[in-house]
Amino acid sequence: MDTYNILGICSTGHGASLALISSEYGVRALNLDRFTQKKHSLLFTEQELKSILGKKSPVDTMIYNTLLLSYGKLPPLFVFEKTFLPFLKALLHGLPLEPDDITLVVTSNCYFAVNKYCAGPKLSHYFRNARIHMNLEHHQIHQCQAFFGSPFEDAATLSIDSSGEPLPRLGGKKISMTLAEVHNKQFQIFHEHLYPESSPGALYGAFSEYLGFREGEEGKTMGLAPYGTDRLYKELVGNLSLHDDGSFRFLSGNEIHSRLQQIAKSRSGKKDPITSAHADIAYAADALLADVLVNTVDVLSKKSSSPNLCIAGGVALNSVANEKVFRRSRFKNLYVFPNSGDTGQALGCALYGKRALLDQMGPSLQNDYLGPEYSSAEIQREVIKAGLEPTPVDDVITTTAKLLTERRIIGWFQGGSEYGPRSLGNRSILADPRSPHMKDWLNKRVKHREPFRPFAPAVLENRVTEWFNVTDPCPYMLRVVPVRPERRAQIPAITHVDGSARVQTVDPKNNPRFYRLIEAFESLTGVPVVLNTSFNMAGYPIVETPRDAIQCFLATKIDALILGDILLLKSELKPLVRKKQPLEDIIVSAFGS
């Protein structure tokens, strides 16, 4: 097939997303929560939603209780029949494609909306000219994410999370880790390890839950860990058994909580104080997870002859563990899929369709800027709709760099949005990393989040070795590396308490505008690094559209917003700002009630 438009669909308990791989238009991908601007948005068919809310079957009750346990309350639930086509339209924004142009649809077969029992029968109605393929297992998709997005011809692959779906072939048991090797698109499975006995995601999740962090907030545990000591880890590590097949055994979730009660009171929410004992708990979680993964990857390295390691699954978002594992392994090259969790499975499905079903090779995934783009005219219309005057800037790069040197906080909106959970220079808040007060200011006044949370550096790829202890490109913020000791005083805003940073390397090919901005900042300061964090407020998804960006800008203490070549300065919006409009009203206007 020379011409193809492949649509990947995923909907799991962690969220939903769509992805397109087109022979003519390249790759697109969009998460549902970016479209709705409600974090952790899920998609269910109308009947499925009624059954789950009514807990009409054991499966429905299980899904209901799982969501409640994961998030503390039910996340935003959207009806498939009402939301799917508008969501698809948003994905295809600006492309001359309609549902009838889709030639292949690939999705998983799980309990949630997009499966053969619920939405499956509807897909052939929506996509009249498409072949529908929907029997992929959860961890099979993670394996496709891990390898098919990589630049390698062969690799050892590790998919790793809390668990996949109950599998009939395993008597209803669920997989939490899969160790495999790939040669010429053929996966050879070495080991499949099961939930809950050998689940790294469940282990880490038990610690995070005790700390008061819910599903999707494991990064908070990772950020808190460097403030702790190894005291608790030393007490608990004797309970960890590492096996020669890569599996492990540790205390159950209830046993973990029982042991932690002897250390510190559990936190039930943001208002509960975080103590040094809580930091020790976070440290223990990170150290135990690293022990598990180092052993697992060591086993995998003995099974596979490839010099390349590919990782996907929710646990792969732990950038601290990724780096520890890689540095202690024999592997020469590491690839971590940028949206390695469940919401990245839509692209995993589409990649499987291209490589396995259609036997189309083509280049690997080049970057993570896979969201729809917005034209200058569309941006101008949204600025005018907001009651603001668009101010085009002749040299937006130099202007923005100068604003950064003046310690201004910049909302930076360019091109297509990032598909993964990390802002990488298209939907970013940017700041000067040289300011020792910038981290606290951003956490308290802009991001409204915990003071221990670190910020990441974006650095010119060809300068990274001068500032950080790493030699390989790290384009997706999925590796935490040491800041060179002699540089730490120069960039305190992005240097964590342990001297590390979750680094992003920027190259001129994949993001030329962001690269030029950092170059311009270096020409003014001598520092080829900017602070880069996600363009959102705590509790909300990263902004997707120009309207989202404008509303977030107005509702926060961001000083300037750059939308393409348009500059909005907060200091020049005084008539608008003087309106007695409560912050909550602005947020509701932006994100819905």
Side-chain angles (χ1 to χ4, degrees):
M1 180 182 292
D2 295 329
T3 302
Y4 53 84
N5 295 304
I6 308 166
L7 184 71
I9 306 173
C10 88
S11 182
T12 77
H14 299 282
S17 66
L18 296 177
L20 171 77
I21 299 181
S22 170
S23 56
E24 186 172 359
Y25 302 108
V27 182
R28 279 278 183 93
L30 180 62
N31 294 314
L32 179 64
D33 65 358
R34 307 282 180 84
F35 170 69
T36 64
Q37 278 299 302
K38 294 179 183 292
K39 208 165 188 178
H40 306 305
S41 293
L42 301 181
L43 199 58
F44 295 97
T45 61
E46 190 167 9
Q47 183 57 49
E48 186 181 25
L49 184 57
K50 289 179 180 178
S51 297
I52 290 169
L53 294 179
K55 293 179 280 188
K56 293 183 178 181
S57 74
V59 170
D60 297 325
T61 301
M62 182 197 71
I63 292 175
Y64 182 93
N65 291 337
T66 297
L67 295 177
L68 200 62
L69 177 65
S70 297
Y71 300 109
K73 61 181 180 179
L74 289 179
L77 306 176
F78 290 87
V79 175
F80 180 90
E81 290 87 343
K82 298 178 180 178
T83 306
F84 179 71
L85 286 181
F87 183 30
L88 176 64
K89 182 179 179 181
L91 173 77
L92 301 178
H93 177 83
L95 298 179
L97 293 176
E98 299 292 338
D100 284 353
D101 298 314
I102 302 298
T103 55
L104 175 64
V105 176
V106 184
T107 184
S108 63
N109 183 23
C110 68
Y111 282 141
F112 291 84
V114 187
N115 59 54
K116 64 184 179 183
Y117 302 110
C118 297
K122 304 177 187 298
L123 293 179
S124 57
H125 169 73
Y126 290 136
F127 304 105
R128 294 178 294 183
N129 300 319
R131 171 187 170 192
I132 311 294
H133 185 95
M134 53 189 329
N135 64 352
L136 296 179
E137 294 180 359
H138 186 87
H139 268 257
Q140 184 182 5
I141 301 171
H142 277 324
Q143 290 281 313
C144 293
Q145 291 170 265
F147 179 69
F148 288 144
S150 79
F152 308 136
E153 295 183 1
D154 61 78
T157 61
L158 174 64
S159 64
I160 183 166
D161 61 10
S162 181
S163 76
E165 74 277 38
L167 295 172
R169 68 177 177 86
L170 297 176
K173 294 182 178 180
K174 300 185 284 187
I175 296 173
S176 57
M177 288 195 286
T178 302
L179 288 68
E181 182 180 57
V182 192
H183 285 282
N184 193 28
K185 301 184 298 181
Q186 299 300 313
F187 286 82
Q188 179 185 357
I189 305 299
F190 298 131
H191 297 290
E192 294 177 328
H193 299 309
L194 304 180
Y195 172 91
E197 310 84 47
S198 190
S199 170
L203 183 154
Y204 202 80
F207 282 85
S208 291
E209 182 185 350
Y210 194 85
L211 291 170
F213 305 143
R214 295 291 183 178
E215 188 78 46
E217 296 184 332
E218 292 83 0
K220 295 183 179 182
T221 304
M222 188 172 67
L224 180 61
Y227 290 89
T229 69
D230 64 358
R231 175 177 63 93
L232 176 60
Y233 165 71
K234 288 179 177 179
E235 293 179 14
L236 294 178
V237 71
N239 298 283
L240 178 64
S241 300
L242 302 174
H243 300 163
D244 58 10
D245 62 356
S247 65
F248 73 97
R249 294 295 183 271
F250 191 63
L251 304 172
S252 69
N254 288 336
E255 289 171 330
I256 291 172
H257 283 202
S258 178
R259 291 292 296 271
L260 297 183
Q261 285 173 358
Q262 303 170 26
I263 305 300
K265 182 181 179 182
S266 65
R267 297 181 64 251
S268 58
K270 292 182 179 180
K271 294 183 180 179
D272 292 343
I274 293 177
T275 67
S276 60
H278 290 120
D280 288 347
I281 291 172
Y283 182 100
D286 258 25
L288 290 165
L289 178 66
D291 286 347
V292 169
L293 297 190
V294 166
N295 178 67
T296 300
V297 170
D298 182 58
V299 171
L300 181 56
S301 71
K302 294 172 182 175
K303 291 281 188 178
S304 171
S305 60
S306 176
N308 309 311
L309 174 64
C310 297
I311 310 178
V315 175
L317 292 172
N318 190 308
S319 44
V320 173
N322 291 341
E323 188 64 16
K324 287 181 179 178
V325 166
F326 181 56
R327 286 181 182 247
R328 292 172 63 177
S329 77
R330 66 143 183 91
F331 291 104
K332 302 299 182 184
N333 305 297
L334 172 67
Y335 177 81
V336 183
F337 190 76
N339 195 359
S340 59
D342 284 6
T343 55
Q345 287 208 331
L347 186 50
C349 288
L351 287 166
Y352 176 85
K354 177 185 177 183
R355 298 290 295 275
L357 298 180
L358 300 186
D359 196 27
Q360 298 286 333
M361 296 302 291
S364 60
L365 189 64
Q366 299 298 303
N367 57 59
D368 194 42
Y369 310 113
L370 306 180
E373 297 191 28
Y374 299 87
S375 67
S376 298
E378 289 173 317
I379 290 173
Q380 287 200 30
R381 281 197 296 270
E382 290 300 329
V383 172
I384 293 169
K385 281 183 183 178
L388 308 174
E389 183 176 349
T391 306
V393 179
D394 291 335
D395 188 350
V396 71
I397 299 298
T398 301
T399 300
T400 304
K402 187 173 185 299
L403 289 170
L404 287 171
T405 65
E406 296 169 357
R407 304 296 199 263
R408 306 287 187 97
I409 311 299
I410 309 294
W412 180 254
F413 183 102
Q414 305 291 330
S417 61
E418 297 86 346
Y419 180 46
R422 311 269 160 79
S423 288
L424 302 172
N426 277 13
R427 300 290 185 275
S428 292
I429 293 174
L430 306 177
D432 189 340
R434 301 173 302 156
S435 169
H437 307 295
M438 187 61 72
K439 172 179 173 289
D440 292 336
W441 173 261
L442 281 169
N443 273 329
K444 184 176 181 180
R445 304 299 298 273
V446 178
K447 300 285 286 185
H448 305 294
R449 66 182 199 176
E450 297 86 351
F452 62 82
R453 304 276 296 279
F455 290 98
V459 57
L460 299 179
E461 185 179 292
N462 59 354
R463 306 294 302 283
V464 65
T465 58
E466 301 171 27
W467 293 78
F468 303 93
N469 186 13
V470 65
T471 57
D472 308 316
C474 310
Y476 303 129
M477 284 191 195
L478 286 168
R479 294 172 65 181
V480 170
V481 303
V483 182
R484 290 197 175 278
E486 69 274 17
R487 297 293 194 181
R488 292 173 187 175
Q490 293 177 265
I491 46 176
I494 57 84
T495 301
H496 203 17
V497 65
D498 61 350
S500 69
R502 190 180 68 194
V503 69
Q504 174 200 357
T505 55
V506 182
D507 73 85
K509 179 180 178 182
N510 286 327
N511 198 329
R513 175 165 279 206
F514 193 35
Y515 186 90
R516 293 200 308 274
L517 173 60
I518 302 173
E519 272 191 322
F521 182 77
E522 181 189 20
S523 71
L524 296 174
T525 65
V527 176
V529 181
V530 299
L531 183 154
N532 178 17
T533 188
S534 56
F535 195 165
N536 69 331
M537 293 184 295
Y540 293 101
I542 297 171
V543 300
E544 174 62 32
T545 67
R547 180 177 183 270
D548 300 334
I550 293 167
Q551 294 288 4
C552 186
F553 166 62
L554 295 176
T556 63
K557 292 188 179 296
I558 295 174
D559 297 307
L561 174 60
I562 311 293
L563 296 145
D565 290 322
I566 289 176
L567 167 65
L568 297 175
L569 278 173
K570 188 70 64 69
S571 59
E572 297 179 2
L573 305 179
K574 291 180 181 179
L576 180 67
V577 173
R578 284 199 195 104
K579 291 181 180 180
K580 301 298 183 181
Q581 186 178 13
L583 176 64
E584 183 63 26
D585 290 350
I586 298 176
I587 294 174
V588 168
S589 173
F591 304 109
S593 57

